[in-house]
PDB file of all heavy atoms in Angstrom:
ATOM      1  N   ASP N   1     -17.390   2.127  11.817  1.00  0.00           N
ATOM      2  CA  ASP N   1     -16.225   1.770  12.659  1.00  0.00           C
ATOM      3  C   ASP N   1     -16.834   1.260  13.947  1.00  0.00           C
ATOM      4  O   ASP N   1     -17.251   2.023  14.848  1.00  0.00           O
ATOM      5  CB  ASP N   1     -15.340   2.983  12.921  1.00  0.00           C
ATOM      6  CG  ASP N   1     -14.128   2.655  13.841  1.00  0.00           C
ATOM      7  OD1 ASP N   1     -14.085   1.519  14.340  1.00  0.00           O
ATOM      8  OD2 ASP N   1     -13.348   3.574  14.090  1.00  0.00           O
ATOM      9  N   ILE N   2     -16.881  -0.058  14.115  1.00  0.00           N
ATOM     10  CA  ILE N   2     -17.630  -0.699  15.206  1.00  0.00           C
ATOM     11  C   ILE N   2     -17.083  -0.289  16.581  1.00  0.00           C
ATOM     12  O   ILE N   2     -17.779  -0.414  17.590  1.00  0.00           O
ATOM     13  CB  ILE N   2     -17.518  -2.246  15.041  1.00  0.00           C
ATOM     14  CG1 ILE N   2     -18.603  -2.928  15.889  1.00  0.00           C
ATOM     15  CG2 ILE N   2     -16.127  -2.743  15.415  1.00  0.00           C
ATOM     16  CD1 ILE N   2     -19.969  -2.829  15.315  1.00  0.00           C
ATOM     17  N   ARG N   3     -15.847   0.220  16.646  1.00  0.00           N
ATOM     18  CA  ARG N   3     -15.247   0.564  17.920  1.00  0.00           C
ATOM     19  C   ARG N   3     -15.497   2.056  18.290  1.00  0.00           C
ATOM     20  O   ARG N   3     -15.037   2.491  19.352  1.00  0.00           O
ATOM     21  CB  ARG N   3     -13.753   0.302  17.880  1.00  0.00           C
ATOM     22  CG  ARG N   3     -13.384  -1.164  17.753  1.00  0.00           C
ATOM     23  CD  ARG N   3     -11.926  -1.383  17.660  1.00  0.00           C
ATOM     24  NE  ARG N   3     -11.375  -0.882  16.410  1.00  0.00           N
ATOM     25  CZ  ARG N   3     -10.068  -0.954  16.081  1.00  0.00           C
ATOM     26  NH1 ARG N   3      -9.192  -1.465  16.931  1.00  0.00           N
ATOM     27  NH2 ARG N   3      -9.657  -0.504  14.922  1.00  0.00           N
ATOM     28  N   SER N   4     -16.242   2.766  17.458  1.00  0.00           N
ATOM     29  CA  SER N   4     -16.465   4.167  17.674  1.00  0.00           C
ATOM     30  C   SER N   4     -17.918   4.462  18.041  1.00  0.00           C
ATOM     31  O   SER N   4     -18.834   4.117  17.279  1.00  0.00           O
ATOM     32  CB  SER N   4     -16.084   4.970  16.403  1.00  0.00           C
ATOM     33  OG  SER N   4     -16.654   6.270  16.444  1.00  0.00           O
ATOM     34  N   GLU N   5     -18.091   5.106  19.201  1.00  0.00           N
ATOM     35  CA  GLU N   5     -19.461   5.482  19.587  1.00  0.00           C
ATOM     36  C   GLU N   5     -20.088   6.438  18.593  1.00  0.00           C
ATOM     37  O   GLU N   5     -21.270   6.322  18.234  1.00  0.00           O
ATOM     38  CB  GLU N   5     -19.436   6.128  20.966  1.00  0.00           C
ATOM     39  CG  GLU N   5     -20.765   6.603  21.473  1.00  0.00           C
ATOM     40  CD  GLU N   5     -20.710   7.301  22.814  1.00  0.00           C
ATOM     41  OE1 GLU N   5     -19.600   7.474  23.342  1.00  0.00           O
ATOM     42  OE2 GLU N   5     -21.788   7.672  23.342  1.00  0.00           O
ATOM     43  N   GLU N   6     -19.309   7.393  18.098  1.00  0.00           N
ATOM     44  CA  GLU N   6     -19.771   8.363  17.114  1.00  0.00           C
ATOM     45  C   GLU N   6     -20.192   7.684  15.836  1.00  0.00           C
ATOM     46  O   GLU N   6     -21.243   7.992  15.282  1.00  0.00           O
ATOM     47  CB  GLU N   6     -18.656   9.369  16.805  1.00  0.00           C
ATOM     48  CG  GLU N   6     -19.093  10.444  15.821  1.00  0.00           C
ATOM     49  CD  GLU N   6     -17.941  11.427  15.538  1.00  0.00           C
ATOM     50  OE1 GLU N   6     -16.870  11.336  16.163  1.00  0.00           O
ATOM     51  OE2 GLU N   6     -18.165  12.318  14.666  1.00  0.00           O
ATOM     52  N   SER N   7     -19.434   6.702  15.381  1.00  0.00           N
ATOM     53  CA  SER N   7     -19.794   5.976  14.156  1.00  0.00           C
ATOM     54  C   SER N   7     -21.044   5.155  14.342  1.00  0.00           C
ATOM     55  O   SER N   7     -21.883   5.087  13.430  1.00  0.00           O
ATOM     56  CB  SER N   7     -18.595   5.076  13.740  1.00  0.00           C
ATOM     57  OG  SER N   7     -18.902   4.436  12.507  1.00  0.00           O
ATOM     58  N   ALA N   8     -21.191   4.533  15.459  1.00  0.00           N
ATOM     59  CA  ALA N   8     -22.402   3.765  15.727  1.00  0.00           C
ATOM     60  C   ALA N   8     -23.654   4.629  15.775  1.00  0.00           C
ATOM     61  O   ALA N   8     -24.701   4.245  15.195  1.00  0.00           O
ATOM     62  CB  ALA N   8     -22.275   3.022  17.080  1.00  0.00           C
ATOM     63  N   ARG N   9     -23.518   5.784  16.388  1.00  0.00           N
ATOM     64  CA  ARG N   9     -24.669   6.718  16.401  1.00  0.00           C
ATOM     65  C   ARG N   9     -24.976   7.280  15.032  1.00  0.00           C
ATOM     66  O   ARG N   9     -26.146   7.473  14.655  1.00  0.00           O
ATOM     67  CB  ARG N   9     -24.397   7.840  17.398  1.00  0.00           C
ATOM     68  CG  ARG N   9     -24.354   7.346  18.861  1.00  0.00           C
ATOM     69  CD  ARG N   9     -24.442   8.447  19.853  1.00  0.00           C
ATOM     70  NE  ARG N   9     -24.476   7.923  21.220  1.00  0.00           N
ATOM     71  CZ  ARG N   9     -25.584   7.457  21.823  1.00  0.00           C
ATOM     72  NH1 ARG N   9     -26.725   7.492  21.173  1.00  0.00           N
ATOM     73  NH2 ARG N   9     -25.525   7.002  23.054  1.00  0.00           N
ATOM     74  N   SER N  10     -23.915   7.525  14.251  1.00  0.00           N
ATOM     75  CA  SER N  10     -24.117   7.983  12.893  1.00  0.00           C
ATOM     76  C   SER N  10     -24.841   6.949  12.049  1.00  0.00           C
ATOM     77  O   SER N  10     -25.755   7.274  11.250  1.00  0.00           O
ATOM     78  CB  SER N  10     -22.739   8.291  12.260  1.00  0.00           C
ATOM     79  OG  SER N  10     -22.901   8.655  10.880  1.00  0.00           O
ATOM     80  N   MET N  11     -24.501   5.656  12.245  1.00  0.00           N
ATOM     81  CA  MET N  11     -25.203   4.602  11.531  1.00  0.00           C
ATOM     82  C   MET N  11     -26.692   4.602  11.877  1.00  0.00           C
ATOM     83  O   MET N  11     -27.532   4.504  10.970  1.00  0.00           O
ATOM     84  CB  MET N  11     -24.595   3.231  11.961  1.00  0.00           C
ATOM     85  CG  MET N  11     -25.314   2.019  11.386  1.00  0.00           C
ATOM     86  SD  MET N  11     -24.694   0.471  12.107  1.00  0.00           S
ATOM     87  CE  MET N  11     -25.337   0.613  13.806  1.00  0.00           C
ATOM     88  N   ALA N  12     -26.998   4.735  13.135  1.00  0.00           N
ATOM     89  CA  ALA N  12     -28.424   4.775  13.565  1.00  0.00           C
ATOM     90  C   ALA N  12     -29.146   5.965  12.928  1.00  0.00           C
ATOM     91  O   ALA N  12     -30.260   5.846  12.434  1.00  0.00           O
ATOM     92  CB  ALA N  12     -28.525   4.784  15.093  1.00  0.00           C
ATOM     93  N   ASN N  13     -28.509   7.126  12.980  1.00  0.00           N
ATOM     94  CA  ASN N  13     -29.098   8.352  12.445  1.00  0.00           C
ATOM     95  C   ASN N  13     -29.368   8.249  10.960  1.00  0.00           C
ATOM     96  O   ASN N  13     -30.413   8.657  10.402  1.00  0.00           O
ATOM     97  CB  ASN N  13     -28.257   9.565  12.765  1.00  0.00           C
ATOM     98  CG  ASN N  13     -28.279   9.899  14.253  1.00  0.00           C
ATOM     99  OD1 ASN N  13     -29.231   9.563  14.970  1.00  0.00           O
ATOM    100  ND2 ASN N  13     -27.213  10.543  14.714  1.00  0.00           N
ATOM    101  N   LYS N  14     -28.330   7.718  10.195  1.00  0.00           N
ATOM    102  CA  LYS N  14     -28.521   7.578   8.747  1.00  0.00           C
ATOM    103  C   LYS N  14     -29.610   6.595   8.401  1.00  0.00           C
ATOM    104  O   LYS N  14     -30.321   6.792   7.444  1.00  0.00           O
ATOM    105  CB  LYS N  14     -27.168   7.133   8.118  1.00  0.00           C
ATOM    106  CG  LYS N  14     -26.106   8.205   8.126  1.00  0.00           C
ATOM    107  CD  LYS N  14     -24.783   7.684   7.573  1.00  0.00           C
ATOM    108  CE  LYS N  14     -23.708   8.755   7.572  1.00  0.00           C
ATOM    109  NZ  LYS N  14     -22.393   8.221   7.083  1.00  0.00           N
ATOM    110  N   THR N  15     -29.711   5.573   9.197  1.00  0.00           N
ATOM    111  CA  THR N  15     -30.810   4.569   8.962  1.00  0.00           C
ATOM    112  C   THR N  15     -32.162   5.205   9.151  1.00  0.00           C
ATOM    113  O   THR N  15     -33.090   4.991   8.340  1.00  0.00           O
ATOM    114  CB  THR N  15     -30.657   3.373   9.955  1.00  0.00           C
ATOM    115  OG1 THR N  15     -29.378   2.741   9.746  1.00  0.00           O
ATOM    116  CG2 THR N  15     -31.771   2.360   9.726  1.00  0.00           C
ATOM    117  N   LEU N  16     -32.298   6.005  10.206  1.00  0.00           N
ATOM    118  CA  LEU N  16     -33.557   6.678  10.481  1.00  0.00           C
ATOM    119  C   LEU N  16     -33.910   7.718   9.405  1.00  0.00           C
ATOM    120  O   LEU N  16     -35.053   7.834   8.962  1.00  0.00           O
ATOM    121  CB  LEU N  16     -33.545   7.335  11.883  1.00  0.00           C
ATOM    122  CG  LEU N  16     -33.492   6.385  13.075  1.00  0.00           C
ATOM    123  CD1 LEU N  16     -33.279   7.152  14.367  1.00  0.00           C
ATOM    124  CD2 LEU N  16     -34.805   5.608  13.147  1.00  0.00           C
ATOM    125  N   GLU N  17     -32.891   8.412   8.966  1.00  0.00           N
ATOM    126  CA  GLU N  17     -33.097   9.422   7.890  1.00  0.00           C
ATOM    127  C   GLU N  17     -33.553   8.754   6.580  1.00  0.00           C
ATOM    128  O   GLU N  17     -34.417   9.298   5.887  1.00  0.00           O
ATOM    129  CB  GLU N  17     -31.792  10.150   7.625  1.00  0.00           C
ATOM    130  CG  GLU N  17     -31.410  11.128   8.745  1.00  0.00           C
ATOM    131  CD  GLU N  17     -30.019  11.734   8.531  1.00  0.00           C
ATOM    132  OE1 GLU N  17     -29.411  11.438   7.487  1.00  0.00           O
ATOM    133  OE2 GLU N  17     -29.528  12.435   9.447  1.00  0.00           O
ATOM    134  N   HIS N  18     -33.031   7.567   6.285  1.00  0.00           N
ATOM    135  CA  HIS N  18     -33.330   6.926   5.028  1.00  0.00           C
ATOM    136  C   HIS N  18     -34.629   6.075   5.084  1.00  0.00           C
ATOM    137  O   HIS N  18     -35.428   6.110   4.160  1.00  0.00           O
ATOM    138  CB  HIS N  18     -32.157   6.025   4.636  1.00  0.00           C
ATOM    139  CG  HIS N  18     -32.227   5.507   3.225  1.00  0.00           C
ATOM    140  ND1 HIS N  18     -31.796   6.311   2.130  1.00  0.00           N
ATOM    141  CD2 HIS N  18     -32.653   4.359   2.680  1.00  0.00           C
ATOM    142  CE1 HIS N  18     -31.979   5.592   1.015  1.00  0.00           C
ATOM    143  NE2 HIS N  18     -32.516   4.437   1.319  1.00  0.00           N
ATOM    144  N   PHE N  19     -34.773   5.294   6.144  1.00  0.00           N
ATOM    145  CA  PHE N  19     -35.913   4.383   6.218  1.00  0.00           C
ATOM    146  C   PHE N  19     -36.981   4.768   7.238  1.00  0.00           C
ATOM    147  O   PHE N  19     -38.079   4.223   7.257  1.00  0.00           O
ATOM    148  CB  PHE N  19     -35.429   2.977   6.543  1.00  0.00           C
ATOM    149  CG  PHE N  19     -34.679   2.305   5.404  1.00  0.00           C
ATOM    150  CD1 PHE N  19     -33.406   1.838   5.552  1.00  0.00           C
ATOM    151  CD2 PHE N  19     -35.305   2.128   4.151  1.00  0.00           C
ATOM    152  CE1 PHE N  19     -32.742   1.210   4.510  1.00  0.00           C
ATOM    153  CE2 PHE N  19     -34.670   1.466   3.100  1.00  0.00           C
ATOM    154  CZ  PHE N  19     -33.355   1.011   3.279  1.00  0.00           C
ATOM    155  N   GLY N  20     -36.647   5.672   8.169  1.00  0.00           N
ATOM    156  CA  GLY N  20     -37.631   6.183   9.110  1.00  0.00           C
ATOM    157  C   GLY N  20     -37.831   5.388  10.368  1.00  0.00           C
ATOM    158  O   GLY N  20     -38.564   5.800  11.288  1.00  0.00           O
ATOM    159  N   SER N  21     -37.204   4.215  10.434  1.00  0.00           N
ATOM    160  CA  SER N  21     -37.383   3.362  11.593  1.00  0.00           C
ATOM    161  C   SER N  21     -36.222   2.387  11.725  1.00  0.00           C
ATOM    162  O   SER N  21     -35.513   2.134  10.750  1.00  0.00           O
ATOM    163  CB  SER N  21     -38.696   2.613  11.540  1.00  0.00           C
ATOM    164  OG  SER N  21     -38.899   1.782  12.654  1.00  0.00           O
ATOM    165  N   ILE N  22     -36.026   1.857  12.911  1.00  0.00           N
ATOM    166  CA  ILE N  22     -35.091   0.765  13.153  1.00  0.00           C
ATOM    167  C   ILE N  22     -35.868  -0.295  13.923  1.00  0.00           C
ATOM    168  O   ILE N  22     -36.276  -0.091  15.049  1.00  0.00           O
ATOM    169  CB  ILE N  22     -33.838   1.172  13.922  1.00  0.00           C
ATOM    170  CG1 ILE N  22     -33.057   2.244  13.184  1.00  0.00           C
ATOM    171  CG2 ILE N  22     -32.940  -0.076  14.158  1.00  0.00           C
ATOM    172  CD1 ILE N  22     -31.912   2.859  13.988  1.00  0.00           C
ATOM    173  N   ASP N  23     -36.106  -1.415  13.305  1.00  0.00           N
ATOM    174  CA  ASP N  23     -36.871  -2.482  13.961  1.00  0.00           C
ATOM    175  C   ASP N  23     -36.038  -3.608  14.490  1.00  0.00           C
ATOM    176  O   ASP N  23     -36.360  -4.214  15.527  1.00  0.00           O
ATOM    177  CB  ASP N  23     -37.883  -3.022  12.952  1.00  0.00           C
ATOM    178  CG  ASP N  23     -38.849  -1.969  12.455  1.00  0.00           C
ATOM    179  OD1 ASP N  23     -39.651  -1.481  13.269  1.00  0.00           O
ATOM    180  OD2 ASP N  23     -38.755  -1.573  11.288  1.00  0.00           O
ATOM    181  N   VAL N  24     -34.947  -3.916  13.802  1.00  0.00           N
ATOM    182  CA  VAL N  24     -34.060  -5.027  14.169  1.00  0.00           C
ATOM    183  C   VAL N  24     -32.608  -4.628  14.006  1.00  0.00           C
ATOM    184  O   VAL N  24     -32.241  -4.014  13.023  1.00  0.00           O
ATOM    185  CB  VAL N  24     -34.360  -6.271  13.311  1.00  0.00           C
ATOM    186  CG1 VAL N  24     -33.471  -7.453  13.765  1.00  0.00           C
ATOM    187  CG2 VAL N  24     -35.804  -6.655  13.306  1.00  0.00           C
ATOM    188  N   LEU N  25     -31.828  -4.949  15.020  1.00  0.00           N
ATOM    189  CA  LEU N  25     -30.345  -4.792  14.916  1.00  0.00           C
ATOM    190  C   LEU N  25     -29.708  -6.147  15.065  1.00  0.00           C
ATOM    191  O   LEU N  25     -29.985  -6.864  16.039  1.00  0.00           O
ATOM    192  CB  LEU N  25     -29.835  -3.881  16.015  1.00  0.00           C
ATOM    193  CG  LEU N  25     -28.296  -3.879  16.217  1.00  0.00           C
ATOM    194  CD1 LEU N  25     -27.581  -3.273  14.993  1.00  0.00           C
ATOM    195  CD2 LEU N  25     -27.943  -3.138  17.479  1.00  0.00           C
ATOM    196  N   VAL N  26     -28.889  -6.546  14.086  1.00  0.00           N
ATOM    197  CA  VAL N  26     -28.155  -7.811  14.175  1.00  0.00           C
ATOM    198  C   VAL N  26     -26.666  -7.416  14.403  1.00  0.00           C
ATOM    199  O   VAL N  26     -26.003  -6.874  13.489  1.00  0.00           O
ATOM    200  CB  VAL N  26     -28.290  -8.639  12.908  1.00  0.00           C
ATOM    201  CG1 VAL N  26     -27.472  -9.935  13.079  1.00  0.00           C
ATOM    202  CG2 VAL N  26     -29.766  -8.958  12.639  1.00  0.00           C
ATOM    203  N   ASN N  27     -26.203  -7.677  15.610  1.00  0.00           N
ATOM    204  CA  ASN N  27     -24.782  -7.407  15.927  1.00  0.00           C
ATOM    205  C   ASN N  27     -23.963  -8.597  15.464  1.00  0.00           C
ATOM    206  O   ASN N  27     -23.653  -9.528  16.264  1.00  0.00           O
ATOM    207  CB  ASN N  27     -24.619  -7.141  17.419  1.00  0.00           C
ATOM    208  CG  ASN N  27     -25.068  -5.774  17.815  1.00  0.00           C
ATOM    209  OD1 ASN N  27     -24.705  -4.783  17.241  1.00  0.00           O
ATOM    210  ND2 ASN N  27     -25.864  -5.716  18.885  1.00  0.00           N
ATOM    211  N   ASN N  28     -23.583  -8.583  14.191  1.00  0.00           N
ATOM    212  CA  ASN N  28     -22.835  -9.674  13.595  1.00  0.00           C
ATOM    213  C   ASN N  28     -21.330  -9.385  13.474  1.00  0.00           C
ATOM    214  O   ASN N  28     -20.539 -10.310  13.417  1.00  0.00           O
ATOM    215  CB  ASN N  28     -23.425 -10.004  12.208  1.00  0.00           C
ATOM    216  CG  ASN N  28     -22.583 -10.928  11.431  1.00  0.00           C
ATOM    217  OD1 ASN N  28     -22.354 -12.104  11.795  1.00  0.00           O
ATOM    218  ND2 ASN N  28     -21.999 -10.457  10.308  1.00  0.00           N
ATOM    219  N   ALA N  29     -20.985  -8.129  13.365  1.00  0.00           N
ATOM    220  CA  ALA N  29     -19.560  -7.781  13.160  1.00  0.00           C
ATOM    221  C   ALA N  29     -18.664  -8.431  14.212  1.00  0.00           C
ATOM    222  O   ALA N  29     -18.946  -8.326  15.404  1.00  0.00           O
ATOM    223  CB  ALA N  29     -19.368  -6.262  13.156  1.00  0.00           C
ATOM    224  N   GLY N  30     -17.627  -9.055  13.766  1.00  0.00           N
ATOM    225  CA  GLY N  30     -16.705  -9.685  14.698  1.00  0.00           C
ATOM    226  C   GLY N  30     -15.408 -10.064  14.034  1.00  0.00           C
ATOM    227  O   GLY N  30     -15.338 -10.183  12.781  1.00  0.00           O
ATOM    228  N   ILE N  31     -14.365 -10.250  14.857  1.00  0.00           N
ATOM    229  CA  ILE N  31     -13.063 -10.623  14.293  1.00  0.00           C
ATOM    230  C   ILE N  31     -12.434 -11.753  15.140  1.00  0.00           C
ATOM    231  O   ILE N  31     -12.742 -11.908  16.283  1.00  0.00           O
ATOM    232  CB  ILE N  31     -12.082  -9.424  14.276  1.00  0.00           C
ATOM    233  CG1 ILE N  31     -11.875  -8.868  15.665  1.00  0.00           C
ATOM    234  CG2 ILE N  31     -12.571  -8.328  13.309  1.00  0.00           C
ATOM    235  CD1 ILE N  31     -10.763  -7.844  15.784  1.00  0.00           C
ATOM    236  N   SER N  32     -11.588 -12.507  14.451  1.00  0.00           N
ATOM    237  CA  SER N  32     -10.729 -13.481  15.100  1.00  0.00           C
ATOM    238  C   SER N  32      -9.442 -13.459  14.309  1.00  0.00           C
ATOM    239  O   SER N  32      -9.131 -14.362  13.526  1.00  0.00           O
ATOM    240  CB  SER N  32     -11.358 -14.867  15.099  1.00  0.00           C
ATOM    241  OG  SER N  32     -10.510 -15.777  15.818  1.00  0.00           O
ATOM    242  N   PRO N  33      -8.610 -12.395  14.477  1.00  0.00           N
ATOM    243  CA  PRO N  33      -7.527 -12.118  13.582  1.00  0.00           C
ATOM    244  C   PRO N  33      -6.270 -12.956  13.740  1.00  0.00           C
ATOM    245  O   PRO N  33      -5.376 -12.882  12.917  1.00  0.00           O
ATOM    246  CB  PRO N  33      -7.211 -10.655  13.883  1.00  0.00           C
ATOM    247  CG  PRO N  33      -7.585 -10.469  15.338  1.00  0.00           C
ATOM    248  CD  PRO N  33      -8.808 -11.357  15.519  1.00  0.00           C
ATOM    249  N   PHE N  34      -6.253 -13.775  14.795  1.00  0.00           N
ATOM    250  CA  PHE N  34      -5.008 -14.580  15.021  1.00  0.00           C
ATOM    251  C   PHE N  34      -5.395 -15.813  15.811  1.00  0.00           C
ATOM    252  O   PHE N  34      -6.448 -15.899  16.446  1.00  0.00           O
ATOM    253  CB  PHE N  34      -3.946 -13.785  15.754  1.00  0.00           C
ATOM    254  CG  PHE N  34      -4.377 -13.288  17.120  1.00  0.00           C
ATOM    255  CD1 PHE N  34      -4.303 -14.097  18.217  1.00  0.00           C
ATOM    256  CD2 PHE N  34      -4.862 -12.002  17.284  1.00  0.00           C
ATOM    257  CE1 PHE N  34      -4.733 -13.644  19.466  1.00  0.00           C
ATOM    258  CE2 PHE N  34      -5.341 -11.531  18.500  1.00  0.00           C
ATOM    259  CZ  PHE N  34      -5.246 -12.391  19.593  1.00  0.00           C
ATOM    260  N   MET N  35      -4.482 -16.794  15.751  1.00  0.00           N
ATOM    261  CA  MET N  35      -4.583 -17.965  16.610  1.00  0.00           C
ATOM    262  C   MET N  35      -3.359 -17.983  17.527  1.00  0.00           C
ATOM    263  O   MET N  35      -2.225 -17.884  17.037  1.00  0.00           O
ATOM    264  CB  MET N  35      -4.634 -19.252  15.774  1.00  0.00           C
ATOM    265  CG  MET N  35      -5.979 -19.444  15.046  1.00  0.00           C
ATOM    266  SD  MET N  35      -6.109 -21.115  14.406  1.00  0.00           S
ATOM    267  CE  MET N  35      -6.403 -22.029  15.951  1.00  0.00           C
ATOM    268  N   ALA N  36      -3.563 -18.162  18.805  1.00  0.00           N
ATOM    269  CA  ALA N  36      -2.459 -18.216  19.773  1.00  0.00           C
ATOM    270  C   ALA N  36      -2.983 -18.761  21.119  1.00  0.00           C
ATOM    271  O   ALA N  36      -4.111 -18.507  21.503  1.00  0.00           O
ATOM    272  CB  ALA N  36      -1.896 -16.810  19.999  1.00  0.00           C
ATOM    273  N   PRO N  37      -2.143 -19.526  21.792  1.00  0.00           N
ATOM    274  CA  PRO N  37      -2.486 -19.937  23.137  1.00  0.00           C
ATOM    275  C   PRO N  37      -2.568 -18.740  24.025  1.00  0.00           C
ATOM    276  O   PRO N  37      -1.950 -17.701  23.746  1.00  0.00           O
ATOM    277  CB  PRO N  37      -1.386 -20.917  23.533  1.00  0.00           C
ATOM    278  CG  PRO N  37      -0.211 -20.531  22.662  1.00  0.00           C
ATOM    279  CD  PRO N  37      -0.809 -20.016  21.371  1.00  0.00           C
ATOM    280  N   MET N  38      -3.289 -18.828  25.098  1.00  0.00           N
ATOM    281  CA  MET N  38      -3.476 -17.651  25.961  1.00  0.00           C
ATOM    282  C   MET N  38      -2.186 -17.144  26.577  1.00  0.00           C
ATOM    283  O   MET N  38      -2.029 -15.951  26.787  1.00  0.00           O
ATOM    284  CB  MET N  38      -4.486 -18.003  27.099  1.00  0.00           C
ATOM    285  CG  MET N  38      -5.919 -18.263  26.570  1.00  0.00           C
ATOM    286  SD  MET N  38      -6.619 -16.824  25.700  1.00  0.00           S
ATOM    287  CE  MET N  38      -7.176 -15.833  27.121  1.00  0.00           C
TER     288      MET N  38
END
């Protein structure tokens, strides 16, 4: 859940538990759910 600090930290911890390191983070998650003038 990209909007949750707890979820982001859980992602990092699970990655470290499984692979032992984090070398690269690609922040690709994004949304554009609608089109509208400002």
Side-chain angles (χ1 to χ4, degrees):
D1 178 357
I2 198 75
R3 295 177 291 178
S4 164
E5 179 182 3
E6 181 180 357
S7 184
R9 292 195 178 278
S10 176
M11 175 189 69
N13 291 334
K14 289 177 180 177
T15 300
L16 291 171
E17 290 171 5
H18 192 83
F19 288 123
S21 181
I22 300 172
D23 300 292
V24 182
L25 167 67
V26 181
N27 282 313
N28 168 66
I31 60 170
S32 183
F34 60 84
M35 289 193 72
M38 293 300 278

